[in-house]
Amino acid sequence: MDFQNRAGSKPGSAGVAGASESNVDRRERLRKLALETIDLAKDPYFMKNHLGSYECKLCLTLHNNEGSYLAHTQGKKHQTNLARRAARDAKDTTAVQPLVAAAGGVKRTAAGMPVPRKVVVKIGRPGYKVTKIRDPATRQFGLLFQIQYPEIEADPSGTNSVRPRHRFMSAYEQKVEEHNKAYQYLLFACDPYETIGFRVQSREIDRGEGKFWTHWDPVSKTFSLQFFFKGTRGFGEPTATHMLPSQTVAGQAPGIGV
């Protein structure tokens, strides 16, 4: 390579460039090419620190300017680290997929093909009845919920294939009403009915033996849930306010626990 236009030399007087000079020229050409073709705003490993210099988060290197960083991205170290990261990500993805499928995240047929998710058309709200109760022995206040699901389909064996589910939700999980730590929400869900919710007092639930229970009656197709609040002093009678389906949090049915 002939460097006739190097700084401090006259035309025609320069000799053949050495290995170090050739390397500097190559890096400069790569830097100029990268400046024209690479958008640093989309580079996930490019970061400007508080000192005004630039860092490569993949290789943990420090650079004085953008050109230096771009020249680094074309080097062997950066390219090798990119290949290692891609290989590790591919390995992690391969290892996670069987776990997701085993946990029920992806349902598959016997042939290994994914089963399409069932689309259920909602038919409206279920009927419900809420009763205030009190334990005669401990004087604890509580609530009894009875939700009717008369249109649940039964499988050929005669038993109901779908069981209603419930979930307690804190006031900070929902995005419909203003957050109020004085209340919590109790949701009920069962296809093909819409999810309904009740706003109850945010008090600790007594989950002791005989205090908290659920029951599903496959004959009358009624789901019952009873619970008592802990403590008897300093609290008034419990209240439960029903929320319309348009007020309940959309898409929360899959996350409701049994």
Side-chain angles (χ1 to χ4, degrees):
M1 182 181 298
D2 190 3
F3 277 67
Q4 296 185 3
N5 299 317
R6 288 181 294 175
S9 64
K10 296 180 180 180
S13 64
V16 178
S20 61
E21 294 173 326
S22 299
N23 187 40
V24 171
D25 179 69
R26 179 183 62 83
R27 290 175 64 88
E28 180 65 18
R29 286 188 287 107
L30 290 175
R31 183 186 68 83
K32 292 180 179 180
L33 178 62
L35 282 172
E36 298 175 357
T37 57
I38 297 178
D39 185 7
L40 291 177
K42 298 180 180 179
D43 190 339
Y45 305 115
F46 177 73
M47 182 184 69
K48 184 176 182 179
N49 59 25
H50 64 286
L51 299 176
S53 55
Y54 303 94
E55 298 181 13
C56 175
K57 294 190 291 184
L58 178 63
C59 306
L60 303 178
T61 55
L62 189 64
H63 306 275
N64 295 327
N65 51 59
E66 295 181 355
S68 175
Y69 172 80
L70 289 172
H72 161 74
T73 60
Q74 306 301 316
K76 181 179 179 180
K77 180 178 181 180
H78 190 81
Q79 296 297 325
T80 302
N81 288 337
L82 283 176
R84 290 177 178 173
R85 174 62 62 88
R88 188 177 66 180
D89 292 344
K91 182 179 179 180
D92 293 343
T93 303
T94 305
V96 168
Q97 284 180 350
L99 297 178
V100 174
V106 179
K107 294 184 179 181
R108 298 183 180 275
T109 62
M113 299 297 294
V115 178
R117 186 174 181 179
K118 183 179 179 181
V119 178
V120 179
V121 179
K122 301 298 183 179
I123 62 175
R125 288 177 291 163
Y128 63 90
K129 180 181 179 181
V130 182
T131 306
K132 295 180 181 180
I133 56 177
R134 190 166 188 176
D135 191 318
T138 62
R139 310 299 294 172
Q140 291 176 270
F141 289 108
L143 293 169
L144 170 63
F145 294 86
Q146 295 172 298
I147 317 297
Q148 291 85 32
Y149 296 100
E151 300 299 326
I152 291 182
E153 298 181 358
D155 59 17
S157 64
T159 60
N160 294 291
S161 58
V162 180
R163 180 184 175 89
R165 297 171 293 172
H166 73 277
R167 178 193 175 194
F168 283 94
M169 174 187 291
S170 72
Y172 299 97
E173 292 183 71
Q174 56 87 27
K175 299 180 181 180
V176 178
E177 300 182 342
E178 293 185 2
H179 296 168
N180 188 344
K181 64 179 181 180
Y183 296 102
Q184 61 183 330
Y185 299 85
L186 175 59
L187 306 183
F188 295 91
C190 186
D191 292 333
Y193 289 91
E194 296 178 356
T195 302
I196 61 173
F198 298 86
R199 182 174 59 241
V200 299
Q201 295 170 334
S202 183
R203 295 165 55 184
E204 186 177 358
I205 305 298
D206 189 350
R207 297 182 179 271
E209 184 178 358
K211 300 296 184 179
F212 183 94
W213 55 264
T214 61
H215 175 69
W216 169 243
D217 188 346
V219 178
S220 63
K221 297 183 179 180
T222 301
F223 181 75
S224 303
L225 183 148
Q226 175 183 296
F227 67 85
F228 288 93
F229 293 106
K230 282 190 175 181
T232 58
R233 297 181 180 179
F235 300 103
E237 292 189 3
T239 59
T241 305
H242 173 245
M243 299 175 62
L244 297 177
S246 59
Q247 295 175 310
T248 55
V249 181
Q252 285 293 336
I256 295 178
V258 176

